[in-house]
Amino acid sequence: YRIASHRIASHRVAAHNRTITHRIMLEGVLGTEGGKSDTLKAIAAGALAGALAVGAIIKLRNVLGKPKDLKIIYFKIHGKARPIRAACKIGGINFTNTFVDKDNWEKVKPHMPFGQVPCIELSDGQLVSQSNAILRFVGKYSNLYPSDPYKALKVDEFIDACEAGLQLLMPSLLEKDLDKKIKMRKELIKADAPFRKWLTNLQKLFIRQDGPYATGRQMTIADLILVGIEFNIKTGFLDGIPADFLKLYPEFEKHSEDMEAMTCWDMEYEEPEAQNPAQA
């Protein structure tokens, strides 16, 4: 017991001495109260300069390191590839469309990861799947996906919220019987139905961001996904959901008008009447 007590006392003395030593060293570096203030200001200024330098390096990397010879593999439709193509156009990323159709899809499908499109082919021949992963990738080079972790979190939140709504539509998208499809959609948009509730909650999230865009005052890839949902409703593509349904959500109607005015949506093909559901 005496030995243990002695050891504890020794440790306490040593810890106290270290604290005094650290304080003396710190005071030696900072000096007087005025010196402390000047030094802290210098540290803060250095930290700010460092942060700005890192930001500049990231932007420079995104400009100089943009993907080259990018191929986007998808059908001759908008679908899941539309926001990817738009992000490339906004960011000045050169790409080519490699179209698949009903004639060659069965031959192409086994070579696609998960047997789905869209996919991209990188300059080294790598094939990468999953539409949102691809969109984040090109978004980083197009200044449409933030490097700040919190801002990126908000973008991802909105994207995942959009995906939840698309999952509600999926059974009706896969339904081949038109009458059944329309009936399913009409059920979805009733006052207390899931799709109506989801769209209401999505608009509340949009409003909370306090800006003209999905996550605030800067356009991101979340806006490119949102405008696709708005587009499908306003054009009447979703049979059973009236084209004027979006008027119930004025924030989205205004957002749609602003986004559709951009030239990044111009594509080198005509939109066919029916879309293929084989999407990532």
Side-chain angles (χ1 to χ4, degrees), residues 5-198:
S5 298
H6 177 70
R7 287 178 177 173
I8 291 172
S10 298
H11 285 307
R12 286 176 177 172
V13 170
H16 178 68
N17 289 339
R18 283 196 299 270
T19 300
I20 293 174
T21 302
H22 290 163
R23 188 178 299 165
I24 292 171
M25 291 174 64
L26 186 61
E27 288 178 354
V29 172
L30 296 179
T32 63
E33 289 297 323
K36 290 179 185 179
S37 177
D38 292 341
T39 303
L40 290 174
K41 287 179 181 178
I43 292 172
L48 178 60
L52 292 174
V54 170
I57 290 171
I58 291 173
K59 288 182 179 179
L60 183 62
R61 179 205 64 187
N62 290 348
V63 171
L64 298 178
K66 286 182 180 180
K68 297 178 181 178
D69 303 321
L70 191 69
K71 295 179 181 178
I72 300 175
I73 305 169
Y74 199 62
F75 297 94
K76 276 192 175 182
I77 59 175
H78 290 339
K80 290 278 191 176
R82 190 185 193 220
I84 297 170
R85 293 167 178 150
C88 287
K89 287 198 169 189
I90 291 170
I93 299 173
N94 293 324
F95 71 95
T96 57
N97 284 308
T98 299
F99 294 122
V100 294
D101 53 37
K102 62 181 181 180
D103 295 325
N104 65 9
W105 173 237
E106 291 304 318
K107 293 181 180 179
V108 173
K109 185 177 180 179
H111 301 285
M112 298 293 101
F114 303 99
Q116 295 176 320
V117 289
C119 285
I120 57 171
E121 182 179 330
L122 303 176
S123 58
D124 61 0
Q126 284 191 78
L127 288 172
V128 181
S129 67
Q130 304 306 314
S131 56
N132 286 344
I134 297 169
L135 186 56
R136 288 185 181 94
F137 172 69
V138 297
K140 290 174 182 177
Y141 290 99
S142 303
N143 198 31
L144 293 171
Y145 190 77
S147 57
D148 177 87
Y150 177 74
K151 291 180 180 178
L153 171 66
K154 300 303 291 182
V155 172
D156 291 339
E157 176 192 25
F158 204 95
I159 290 174
D160 289 351
C162 288
E163 288 298 319
L166 294 176
Q167 290 303 312
L168 293 173
L169 287 170
M170 190 55 66
S172 66
L173 288 170
L174 297 176
E175 177 57 58
K176 296 181 179 180
D177 185 282
L178 182 58
D179 290 336
K180 290 182 179 179
K181 185 190 293 284
I182 291 174
K183 184 178 179 181
M184 293 168 73
R185 299 261 174 81
K186 287 184 176 180
E187 289 294 321
L188 281 173
I189 62 172
K190 287 183 178 179
D192 294 326
F195 187 77
R196 188 79 166 265
K197 287 182 177 179
W198 164 77

Side-chain angles (χ1 to χ4, degrees), residues 230-249:
E230 297 163 343
F231 176 84
N232 284 336
I233 294 175
K234 291 180 70 174
T235 57
F237 169 72
L238 298 171
D239 296 309
I241 298 180
D244 62 353
F245 182 69
L246 210 62
K247 291 184 182 297
L248 297 172
Y249 303 92

